[in-house]
Amino acid sequence: MLAAVMTALCLLPLSVSAAAMTTVGLSLPAPTGPAAVGRTTFALTDHSRVDPWVPEAGPRQLMVTMYYPAVRGTGSQARYMDLDEAKALVDYAELGPQFTPERLAGARTWSRTDARPLPGRHPLVLLSPGFTVPRHTLTALAEDLASRGYVAATVDHAFESVATKFPGGVLPCRACGLPGQIGNAPIALNRGADLSFVLGELRNHPLVDQCHVAVVGHSMGGSAAATAMRANPLVDAGVNLDGEMVPADPLDRPFLLAGSSELQHYPGGAFDPSWDAVWPRLSGWKRWLTVTDADHYSFTDLDLLVKQAGVDLPMPLDPARAIGLTRAYVGAFLDQHLRGIPRRLLAGPTAEFPEVVFHQP
C-alpha cells in the first residue's frame, strides 16, 4: 500500500558520508518575495470532536505556526524547530552522528518570531505536512509565501507526527501504523475536518482575507487538501504535492497535482493509480505536473537539510532546485487562483523549469 511505503521511507536508516564530518550550519533558501516574514505559533483545540486516534486524550488538538508579511527588522530570529522536536525526529529517522538535534533545531530560517505585521489582510494558505513528519518540514515554502504577501499557516495534527511538541510535550505518533490497517481515506478525511476547523478559527484574524483561501499539502497533507475542499466551500483552491488522492465526489474548484517520478505520479503510473482515478472527477481548472528525478521529500525542506548535513542518500534532483521549483509553481497557482493574476508558468512547459512535465491524460 502507498501509505505504508511512504512511512517506510521515513524509517530507513541513513548512512553518513565522510562529507558529514563538517560542522557547517544548516540553512533554508532565502524567500523570493519583497516582504520580511513574521512568525507566531499557537495551539488550537476543537472541543466539538474527540481525538479519533487516541480518544482518551480528549478533544482534538492541533499546533499551528502562522507566517505573515512583516515589518523588516522587528521581532527575533526564529529557530527552525524546538530542540525536543528535533531530537525526536533525529532519533526516529536515524540520520547519523553529524545530523544532531542541535544542528536541525538551529537551521537558519528567514522568519522572525512575533515580528510586527504589515498592515492589511492577506490571502490565507493552510499547509498540511506528510504523515509522521512535522509541519516544520514545509517552512521554506511557508516563508516564501509570506514574503510574497500571503498568510501561510502550517498545521500539525495530534498523534500523526513523530516530532510535534504540544503544550504538554512531544506527543507520540500513535497513528503511525494506521495507514497499513485502515488505509489513507479515514486519515485524509479527518485531516480535512482538522483544516476546516483551523480555517474557522483563523477566518476573523486581523491579518486574514477570509474571501481568498487555499489548502496546500504534502503526501498525506496533499490528500487532505482535497478532502478539506470537499468539506468546506470556503476553500477556493488546493494543491497536492505527491500525495495519494482519495476518490470521492467531483471537485469543481481549481486543483493542482504536482508529483515525483519516484512515486510514479504520471498517467498510468502503477505505484499510485489514485491520480488517474480522480483526474476525471476534477471538473474545475486543473493541472497535473510530474517533476523529473524528484523524490517524495523533494517538495519539503528535508532533502536539503539532509544533504547539507552530509548524509549520503541518492538525490537525482538537487534539493535547492526542488525547493525553488516548488515555490515557483505553488506561488504561481495561488497568485492565479486567489489573486486573479494569470501566470504563464501554469500554461505549459517552460525552458526555465525543464524538469516539470505537464500531462493531459
Side-chain angles (χ1 to χ4, degrees):
M1 168 173 272
L2 173 64
V5 175
M6 289 180 181
T7 300
L9 290 173
C10 290
L11 288 165
L12 288 175
L14 307 180
S15 62
V16 181
S17 70
M21 296 303 109
T22 179
T23 57
V24 174
L26 311 182
S27 179
L28 299 180
T32 62
V37 179
R39 168 174 159 178
T40 186
T41 296
F42 47 90
L44 293 176
T45 302
D46 183 355
H47 292 280
S48 71
R49 294 188 295 147
V50 172
D51 189 277
W53 319 132
V54 187
E56 61 271 24
R60 183 63 168 164
Q61 300 178 73
L62 303 156
M63 288 298 300
V64 178
T65 297
M66 192 168 77
Y67 300 81
Y68 54 88
V71 176
R72 197 166 298 279
T74 62
S76 56
Q77 182 67 46
R79 291 171 65 82
Y80 183 69
M81 65 195 317
D82 184 90
L83 184 59
D84 290 343
E85 293 174 314
K87 184 178 188 307
L89 183 57
V90 167
D91 288 349
Y92 176 77
E94 300 180 15
L95 293 169
Q98 294 302 311
F99 201 74
T100 65
E102 291 77 14
R103 293 186 72 193
L104 179 57
R108 169 74 156 92
T109 70
W110 300 85
S111 48
R112 298 182 70 83
T113 301
D114 298 327
R116 191 162 73 250
L118 289 177
R121 293 180 177 269
H122 312 277
L124 173 65
V125 184
L126 302 179
L127 295 132
S128 182
F131 208 59
T132 75
V133 295
R135 67 191 185 282
H136 309 296
T137 58
L138 297 175
T139 298
L141 178 57
E143 290 186 335
D144 193 65
L145 292 175
S147 78
R148 296 172 59 162
Y150 293 91
V151 169
T154 58
V155 181
D156 258 322
H157 310 262
F159 302 108
E160 297 182 22
S161 162
V162 299
T164 300
K165 189 171 186 177
F166 282 75
V170 176
L171 292 183
C173 191
R174 296 278 291 276
C176 274
L178 288 179
Q181 300 172 29
I182 64 175
N184 276 8
I187 301 168
L189 289 168
N190 187 69
R191 281 204 179 191
D194 287 345
L195 294 168
S196 188
F197 169 74
V198 173
L199 172 55
E201 293 294 294
L202 296 184
R203 279 184 64 195
N204 296 318
H205 191 284
L207 292 179
V208 169
D209 174 3
Q210 61 178 297
C211 296
H212 299 91
V213 178
V215 177
V216 178
H218 169 247
S219 193
M220 186 68 77
S223 305
T227 61
M229 290 181 71
R230 294 183 183 114
N232 196 321
L234 296 176
V235 180
D236 301 294
V239 179
N240 178 350
L241 300 172
D242 218 34
E244 183 178 359
M245 289 294 287
V246 178
D249 295 332
L251 191 59
D252 60 0
R253 281 157 281 161
F255 202 82
L256 173 65
L257 293 164
S260 68
S261 52
E262 179 186 52
L263 294 194
Q264 300 180 13
H265 274 142
Y266 42 74
F271 189 75
D272 177 16
S274 69
W275 286 26
D276 280 300
V278 81
W279 181 255
R281 305 182 187 191
L282 303 178
S283 58
W285 184 101
K286 59 185 178 181
R287 291 290 185 275
W288 180 341
L289 314 179
T290 303
V291 182
T292 305
D293 290 334
D295 64 46
H296 188 52
Y297 292 101
S298 293
F299 306 97
T300 75
D301 307 340
L302 287 175
D303 276 3
L304 179 64
L305 297 176
V306 164
K307 181 178 180 180
Q308 289 177 347
V311 178
D312 185 15
L313 280 179
M315 296 180 190
L317 180 61
D318 178 72
R321 174 72 173 173
I323 287 176
L325 67 84
T326 300
R327 286 171 160 184
Y329 280 90
V330 172
F333 174 83
L334 296 172
D335 285 349
Q336 184 159 313
H337 296 293
L338 295 190
R339 288 178 161 154
I341 305 171
R343 294 301 188 193
R344 64 171 181 82
L345 204 58
L346 302 174
T350 67
E352 184 181 2
F353 294 107
E355 307 94 333
V356 179
V357 180
F358 282 66
H359 303 292
Q360 288 291 339

